[in-house]
Amino acid sequence: MENLHEAIRTSNFRYLTEDAIQTPLSFIENFCYFETEVETFRKDILFFLHAATTRKSDFNGKFYVNSEDYAYNCRQLISVIEVLWVLYHQPIPQLRIPDTHPLYQKSSWATDRIDVEKRINSGAAHFRKLENREINDIGFFLEEFFLYRNLNEWREILDDLLTYAYTNESIFDGTELLYESVAIYEYLEKAVEAIFLIADLNFKYNKSTDDIQTKGVQETNLNPTAQINGITLPNPIQEVPSLDDDTFTNNLIQYLEKFWSHREEGNENHSYGPVMFTETLEKELLSYFESFHPKFLSRNFRRIYMGYLEHLFANGTPWYYHELRAFTAHMDTFFELLELADQETAHWPQEDRIGWDEN
């Protein structure tokens, strides 16, 4: 560790291994693409925070008490904060993006405000808490995050939250954190988004900043190539094909082949292969997206889904908790499929599709 920043060399990391300290991007890639996903991790952390900040004897007790996941999720969050601490003192090149980048945030609002409606219908849909300038340069967030609390202080806060997650009292009952609760919630949820944004910038959009800037000057159409663990996924922006050559079906099958082969590497006990549609299913699928614009579906399903999650937070988890966890874990994939459908049908006639004029 002799070549690292002094603040890193003198830090007492609790969970981060030396390999992760030396190569933080390896940790980030494994965590974001193989350990969990952004909405699942966000949900787990919010459950944990609600447990720590709610009295368990009230009507919400059934929702928060006796979860074996709180300690694990707390440890995961501390690991994330520790790797963000490393990046804060020894940043990687891909933290700041140019205005030609697909994730670059532009808004008619004030510089740091978020146009939520525009955000959730963009490639940055999962980054709903980060401000515009923080997405464009995540270094702004890292600086604010560790000025608000340093590494040791964040770990102390999370240790206290974990203690109260398993006790009847709320952490706000006997501590001064009550007056900082909103800020702590915001910072921790932003930290969840930050680690996945860094992963996307370095692996999904794997072009260097200089390369992206050069491409932006030379080309009018930016085609970032997505890669996960060396597997190249189809470009999200492609030359408009003809419907006569079954491009929609062929491209979707290629996508699924790569997706399943990627999954297969991490699980040798199961055998996956390409998903082939029957003629009936293919016709139904094409007919459906001829009727409904994918962005219209995505926008309204998100509203329904967010409303359902708010209902759960307010009223508690129903008895089919494990089934619900599986459902919420895969909703992200559902929205990714709608995004894929939007890209693959962008050249279709738009006027007859419900919701086309709202995009």
Side-chain angles (χ1 to χ4, degrees), residues 172-187:
F172 297 150
D173 289 344
T175 70
E176 296 181 357
L177 291 179
L178 171 63
Y179 306 104
E180 301 179 73
S181 59
V182 174
I184 289 173
Y185 265 63
E186 289 288 314
Y187 275 122

Side-chain angles (χ1 to χ4, degrees), residues 184-199:
I184 289 173
Y185 265 63
E186 289 288 314
Y187 275 122
L188 290 178
E189 192 170 355
K190 281 186 176 184
V192 170
E193 294 183 353
I195 196 74
F196 285 90
L197 174 61
I198 293 169

Side-chain angles (χ1 to χ4, degrees), residues 86-97:
V86 172
L87 296 181
Y88 174 57
H89 290 95
Q90 198 141 323
I92 55 178
Q94 188 66 305
L95 290 180
R96 184 178 182 181
I97 57 179

Side-chain angles (χ1 to χ4, degrees), residues 128-146:
R128 299 186 293 275
K129 291 293 184 178
L130 290 170
E131 297 172 356
N132 289 337
R133 68 167 186 168
E134 292 170 338
I135 290 182
N136 298 339
D137 185 354
I138 199 63
F140 283 117
F141 166 70
L142 295 179
E143 182 175 4
E144 291 181 2
F145 185 78
F146 288 114

